[in-house]
Amino acid sequence: GAGVSQSPRYKVAKRGQDVALRCDPISGHVSLFWYQQALGQGPEFLTYFQNEAQLDKSGLPSDRFFAERPEGSVSTLKIQRTQQEDSAVYLCASSLGTLHTDTQYFGPGTRLTVL
Amino acid sequence: GENVEQHPSTLSVQEGDSAVIKCTYSDSASNYFPWYKQELGKRPQLIIDIRSNVGEKKDQRIAVTLNKTAKHFSLHITETQPEDSAVYFCAASTLTFQGAQKLVFGQGTRLTINP
């Protein structure tokens, strides 16, 4: 079946612009995660959804970052007033259930470049 | 919170030789440890994982060992092939508050297989 998909794959924004990044998880997956991966680093947790409920947003770097999953499937990560330090690859992952031992499947990521 | 350290950051081995990557974690409550392989510009892909109720798991040329007492786990790749060249990430799965969960990743190991 189809894996996790993300769009756009690449996004260039001018500093101060707002951006929206989309994640389509594997159908039926309850859990959805967003991670930020800086160049040459491991992914870092941003936020976690269980269905439509955002249970943990402790990793969001600032109040300029906002994520939603209104119908418990597709999720959007929005960054307002982008800054150069926001440049990174944003990865979405989903897992079937709610156990923290469930495998997380990653999307290809969106590479955001802020000029 | 959980902290994962990974070594070495780069590893170069001759084709056919073995490669070993080591990780340590800090949170004794973590009990699921996946390993991801990430090729340049691609999504992280799970290659093997281990849960804390076992000490070792093997899948063809890949094996993972876990020492819960010492809080470290290792990836072993035998009979390395050029297609094994990639960045490898270890991770620890941890529960956060309100039933949330996340993966905490190591910094990554860039593995190069020399023909």
Side-chain angles (χ1 to χ4, degrees), chain B residues 66-92:
Chain B
L66 171 66
N67 183 327
K68 283 211 70 180
T69 303
K71 289 190 278 190
H72 68 71
F73 55 112
S74 301
L75 177 72
H76 304 253
I77 306 175
T78 59
E79 301 171 19
T80 52
Q81 301 168 3
E83 53 265 36
D84 295 330
S85 294
V87 178
Y88 291 80
F89 292 98
C90 63

mmCIF file of all heavy atoms in Angstrom, chain B residues 66-92:
data_model
loop_
_atom_site.group_PDB
_atom_site.id
_atom_site.type_symbol
_atom_site.label_atom_id
_atom_site.label_comp_id
_atom_site.label_asym_id
_atom_site.label_seq_id
_atom_site.Cartn_x
_atom_site.Cartn_y
_atom_site.Cartn_z
ATOM 1 N N LEU B 66 21.134 -5.497 22.927
ATOM 2 C CA LEU B 66 20.668 -4.541 23.927
ATOM 3 C C LEU B 66 21.143 -4.979 25.304
ATOM 4 O O LEU B 66 20.970 -6.129 25.697
ATOM 5 C CB LEU B 66 19.141 -4.457 23.905
ATOM 6 C CG LEU B 66 18.478 -3.672 25.032
ATOM 7 C CD1 LEU B 66 18.838 -2.189 24.946
ATOM 8 C CD2 LEU B 66 16.958 -3.865 24.981
ATOM 9 N N ASN B 67 21.746 -4.045 26.022
ATOM 10 C CA ASN B 67 22.145 -4.270 27.406
ATOM 11 C C ASN B 67 21.389 -3.250 28.253
ATOM 12 O O ASN B 67 21.772 -2.085 28.329
ATOM 13 C CB ASN B 67 23.656 -4.092 27.560
ATOM 14 C CG ASN B 67 24.142 -4.384 28.980
ATOM 15 O OD1 ASN B 67 23.429 -4.130 29.962
ATOM 16 N ND2 ASN B 67 25.336 -4.908 29.091
ATOM 17 N N LYS B 68 20.300 -3.683 28.860
ATOM 18 C CA LYS B 68 19.457 -2.751 29.619
ATOM 19 C C LYS B 68 20.139 -2.246 30.881
ATOM 20 O O LYS B 68 19.916 -1.110 31.298
ATOM 21 C CB LYS B 68 18.137 -3.421 29.977
ATOM 22 C CG LYS B 68 17.153 -3.519 28.852
ATOM 23 C CD LYS B 68 15.716 -3.454 29.350
ATOM 24 C CE LYS B 68 15.347 -2.085 29.855
ATOM 25 N NZ LYS B 68 13.956 -2.025 30.349
ATOM 26 N N THR B 69 20.948 -3.097 31.479
ATOM 27 C CA THR B 69 21.624 -2.680 32.707
ATOM 28 C C THR B 69 22.571 -1.518 32.428
ATOM 29 O O THR B 69 22.608 -0.536 33.171
ATOM 30 C CB THR B 69 22.398 -3.856 33.313
ATOM 31 O OG1 THR B 69 21.488 -4.932 33.543
ATOM 32 C CG2 THR B 69 23.079 -3.455 34.608
ATOM 33 N N ALA B 70 23.321 -1.656 31.347
ATOM 34 C CA ALA B 70 24.283 -0.614 30.993
ATOM 35 C C ALA B 70 23.644 0.492 30.161
ATOM 36 O O ALA B 70 24.285 1.516 29.896
ATOM 37 C CB ALA B 70 25.455 -1.228 30.236
ATOM 38 N N LYS B 71 22.412 0.292 29.731
ATOM 39 C CA LYS B 71 21.697 1.254 28.891
ATOM 40 C C LYS B 71 22.457 1.545 27.609
ATOM 41 O O LYS B 71 22.729 2.715 27.270
ATOM 42 C CB LYS B 71 21.366 2.525 29.683
ATOM 43 C CG LYS B 71 20.274 2.269 30.723
ATOM 44 C CD LYS B 71 19.747 3.539 31.348
ATOM 45 C CE LYS B 71 20.666 4.007 32.449
ATOM 46 N NZ LYS B 71 20.117 5.101 33.256
ATOM 47 N N HIS B 72 22.837 0.481 26.904
ATOM 48 C CA HIS B 72 23.392 0.684 25.584
ATOM 49 C C HIS B 72 22.943 -0.415 24.641
ATOM 50 O O HIS B 72 22.575 -1.517 25.049
ATOM 51 C CB HIS B 72 24.920 0.861 25.605
ATOM 52 C CG HIS B 72 25.700 -0.346 25.994
ATOM 53 N ND1 HIS B 72 25.839 -1.471 25.214
ATOM 54 C CD2 HIS B 72 26.466 -0.566 27.090
ATOM 55 C CE1 HIS B 72 26.614 -2.344 25.821
ATOM 56 N NE2 HIS B 72 27.003 -1.824 26.952
ATOM 57 N N PHE B 73 22.919 -0.083 23.359
ATOM 58 C CA PHE B 73 22.531 -1.016 22.316
ATOM 59 C C PHE B 73 23.389 -0.771 21.079
ATOM 60 O O PHE B 73 23.907 0.338 20.895
ATOM 61 C CB PHE B 73 21.030 -0.928 22.004
ATOM 62 C CG PHE B 73 20.499 0.419 21.631
ATOM 63 C CD1 PHE B 73 20.036 0.666 20.341
ATOM 64 C CD2 PHE B 73 20.413 1.452 22.544
ATOM 65 C CE1 PHE B 73 19.519 1.898 19.978
ATOM 66 C CE2 PHE B 73 19.904 2.699 22.197
ATOM 67 C CZ PHE B 73 19.462 2.917 20.911
ATOM 68 N N SER B 74 23.566 -1.804 20.304
ATOM 69 C CA SER B 74 24.510 -1.747 19.189
ATOM 70 C C SER B 74 23.919 -2.381 17.946
ATOM 71 O O SER B 74 23.135 -3.327 18.031
ATOM 72 C CB SER B 74 25.807 -2.467 19.536
ATOM 73 O OG SER B 74 26.425 -1.907 20.666
ATOM 74 N N LEU B 75 24.328 -1.862 16.794
ATOM 75 C CA LEU B 75 23.963 -2.402 15.486
ATOM 76 C C LEU B 75 25.185 -3.070 14.898
ATOM 77 O O LEU B 75 26.273 -2.481 14.888
ATOM 78 C CB LEU B 75 23.476 -1.284 14.568
ATOM 79 C CG LEU B 75 23.120 -1.695 13.140
ATOM 80 C CD1 LEU B 75 21.826 -2.503 13.128
ATOM 81 C CD2 LEU B 75 22.984 -0.467 12.240
ATOM 82 N N HIS B 76 25.010 -4.283 14.403
ATOM 83 C CA HIS B 76 26.098 -5.032 13.788
ATOM 84 C C HIS B 76 25.680 -5.385 12.365
ATOM 85 O O HIS B 76 24.621 -5.989 12.160
ATOM 86 C CB HIS B 76 26.373 -6.320 14.562
ATOM 87 C CG HIS B 76 26.664 -6.109 16.012
ATOM 88 N ND1 HIS B 76 27.932 -6.253 16.554
ATOM 89 C CD2 HIS B 76 25.861 -5.757 17.045
ATOM 90 C CE1 HIS B 76 27.886 -6.004 17.848
ATOM 91 N NE2 HIS B 76 26.647 -5.702 18.179
ATOM 92 N N ILE B 77 26.518 -5.007 11.412
ATOM 93 C CA ILE B 77 26.281 -5.377 10.011
ATOM 94 C C ILE B 77 27.454 -6.242 9.575
ATOM 95 O O ILE B 77 28.614 -5.805 9.646
ATOM 96 C CB ILE B 77 26.177 -4.143 9.102
ATOM 97 C CG1 ILE B 77 25.111 -3.168 9.623
ATOM 98 C CG2 ILE B 77 25.848 -4.576 7.669
ATOM 99 C CD1 ILE B 77 25.044 -1.863 8.838
ATOM 100 N N THR B 78 27.170 -7.461 9.143
ATOM 101 C CA THR B 78 28.229 -8.351 8.673
ATOM 102 C C THR B 78 28.238 -8.400 7.153
ATOM 103 O O THR B 78 27.267 -8.014 6.494
ATOM 104 C CB THR B 78 28.024 -9.771 9.228
ATOM 105 O OG1 THR B 78 26.746 -10.250 8.784
ATOM 106 C CG2 THR B 78 28.060 -9.783 10.746
ATOM 107 N N GLU B 79 29.368 -8.845 6.617
ATOM 108 C CA GLU B 79 29.529 -9.009 5.156
ATOM 109 C C GLU B 79 29.033 -7.760 4.420
ATOM 110 O O GLU B 79 28.188 -7.842 3.524
ATOM 111 C CB GLU B 79 28.780 -10.248 4.678
ATOM 112 C CG GLU B 79 29.253 -11.529 5.352
ATOM 113 C CD GLU B 79 28.354 -12.723 5.030
ATOM 114 O OE1 GLU B 79 27.604 -12.673 4.040
ATOM 115 O OE2 GLU B 79 28.394 -13.695 5.801
ATOM 116 N N THR B 80 29.575 -6.612 4.802
ATOM 117 C CA THR B 80 29.070 -5.352 4.264
ATOM 118 C C THR B 80 29.184 -5.276 2.748
ATOM 119 O O THR B 80 30.112 -5.846 2.135
ATOM 120 C CB THR B 80 29.805 -4.158 4.893
ATOM 121 O OG1 THR B 80 31.222 -4.353 4.756
ATOM 122 C CG2 THR B 80 29.439 -4.020 6.362
ATOM 123 N N GLN B 81 28.218 -4.565 2.164
ATOM 124 C CA GLN B 81 28.141 -4.396 0.718
ATOM 125 C C GLN B 81 28.058 -2.905 0.401
ATOM 126 O O GLN B 81 27.646 -2.111 1.262
ATOM 127 C CB GLN B 81 26.903 -5.133 0.185
ATOM 128 C CG GLN B 81 26.913 -6.625 0.509
ATOM 129 C CD GLN B 81 25.583 -7.303 0.239
ATOM 130 O OE1 GLN B 81 24.634 -6.692 -0.241
ATOM 131 N NE2 GLN B 81 25.530 -8.594 0.549
ATOM 132 N N PRO B 82 28.428 -2.500 -0.817
ATOM 133 C CA PRO B 82 28.385 -1.068 -1.148
ATOM 134 C C PRO B 82 27.030 -0.424 -0.886
ATOM 135 O O PRO B 82 26.962 0.737 -0.472
ATOM 136 C CB PRO B 82 28.729 -1.056 -2.647
ATOM 137 C CG PRO B 82 29.582 -2.261 -2.827
ATOM 138 C CD PRO B 82 29.021 -3.306 -1.895
ATOM 139 N N GLU B 83 25.945 -1.178 -1.071
ATOM 140 C CA GLU B 83 24.605 -0.606 -0.857
ATOM 141 C C GLU B 83 24.289 -0.370 0.622
ATOM 142 O O GLU B 83 23.248 0.217 0.953
ATOM 143 C CB GLU B 83 23.518 -1.484 -1.489
ATOM 144 C CG GLU B 83 23.572 -2.931 -1.075
ATOM 145 C CD GLU B 83 24.352 -3.795 -2.069
ATOM 146 O OE1 GLU B 83 25.366 -3.307 -2.636
ATOM 147 O OE2 GLU B 83 23.944 -4.953 -2.258
ATOM 148 N N ASP B 84 25.179 -0.810 1.515
ATOM 149 C CA ASP B 84 25.007 -0.507 2.938
ATOM 150 C C ASP B 84 25.457 0.916 3.266
ATOM 151 O O ASP B 84 25.202 1.404 4.378
ATOM 152 C CB ASP B 84 25.794 -1.487 3.809
ATOM 153 C CG ASP B 84 25.292 -2.921 3.715
ATOM 154 O OD1 ASP B 84 24.069 -3.096 3.474
ATOM 155 O OD2 ASP B 84 26.102 -3.853 3.843
ATOM 156 N N SER B 85 26.138 1.563 2.331
ATOM 157 C CA SER B 85 26.600 2.938 2.565
ATOM 158 C C SER B 85 25.389 3.862 2.744
ATOM 159 O O SER B 85 24.510 3.918 1.880
ATOM 160 C CB SER B 85 27.447 3.428 1.395
ATOM 161 O OG SER B 85 28.643 2.690 1.298
ATOM 162 N N ALA B 86 25.339 4.556 3.872
ATOM 163 C CA ALA B 86 24.213 5.432 4.209
ATOM 164 C C ALA B 86 24.499 6.029 5.588
ATOM 165 O O ALA B 86 25.537 5.763 6.194
ATOM 166 C CB ALA B 86 22.901 4.653 4.250
ATOM 167 N N VAL B 87 23.552 6.827 6.071
ATOM 168 C CA VAL B 87 23.609 7.312 7.450
ATOM 169 C C VAL B 87 22.655 6.453 8.282
ATOM 170 O O VAL B 87 21.509 6.226 7.874
ATOM 171 C CB VAL B 87 23.233 8.791 7.551
ATOM 172 C CG1 VAL B 87 23.257 9.242 9.017
ATOM 173 C CG2 VAL B 87 24.177 9.648 6.723
ATOM 174 N N TYR B 88 23.126 5.975 9.399
ATOM 175 C CA TYR B 88 22.337 5.127 10.280
ATOM 176 C C TYR B 88 22.037 5.882 11.570
ATOM 177 O O TYR B 88 22.928 6.505 12.161
ATOM 178 C CB TYR B 88 23.088 3.838 10.594
ATOM 179 C CG TYR B 88 23.209 2.935 9.395
ATOM 180 C CD1 TYR B 88 24.175 3.161 8.419
ATOM 181 C CD2 TYR B 88 22.326 1.869 9.211
ATOM 182 C CE1 TYR B 88 24.269 2.363 7.297
ATOM 183 C CE2 TYR B 88 22.424 1.048 8.091
ATOM 184 C CZ TYR B 88 23.395 1.304 7.144
ATOM 185 O OH TYR B 88 23.480 0.502 6.027
ATOM 186 N N PHE B 89 20.785 5.808 11.999
ATOM 187 C CA PHE B 89 20.349 6.464 13.232
ATOM 188 C C PHE B 89 19.802 5.430 14.202
ATOM 189 O O PHE B 89 18.964 4.604 13.825
ATOM 190 C CB PHE B 89 19.254 7.492 12.964
ATOM 191 C CG PHE B 89 19.695 8.692 12.192
ATOM 192 C CD1 PHE B 89 19.476 8.778 10.820
ATOM 193 C CD2 PHE B 89 20.328 9.748 12.825
ATOM 194 C CE1 PHE B 89 19.884 9.891 10.098
ATOM 195 C CE2 PHE B 89 20.737 10.867 12.117
ATOM 196 C CZ PHE B 89 20.516 10.935 10.748
ATOM 197 N N CYS B 90 20.248 5.492 15.446
ATOM 198 C CA CYS B 90 19.591 4.730 16.497
ATOM 199 C C CYS B 90 18.567 5.648 17.159
ATOM 200 O O CYS B 90 18.627 6.875 17.023
ATOM 201 C CB CYS B 90 20.599 4.236 17.525
ATOM 202 S SG CYS B 90 21.464 5.552 18.438
ATOM 203 N N ALA B 91 17.618 5.053 17.844
ATOM 204 C CA ALA B 91 16.590 5.842 18.520
ATOM 205 C C ALA B 91 16.071 5.065 19.722
ATOM 206 O O ALA B 91 16.184 3.835 19.786
ATOM 207 C CB ALA B 91 15.441 6.184 17.574
ATOM 208 N N ALA B 92 15.523 5.812 20.654
ATOM 209 C CA ALA B 92 14.856 5.224 21.817
ATOM 210 C C ALA B 92 13.449 5.782 21.881
ATOM 211 O O ALA B 92 13.246 6.991 21.689
ATOM 212 C CB ALA B 92 15.622 5.546 23.092
#
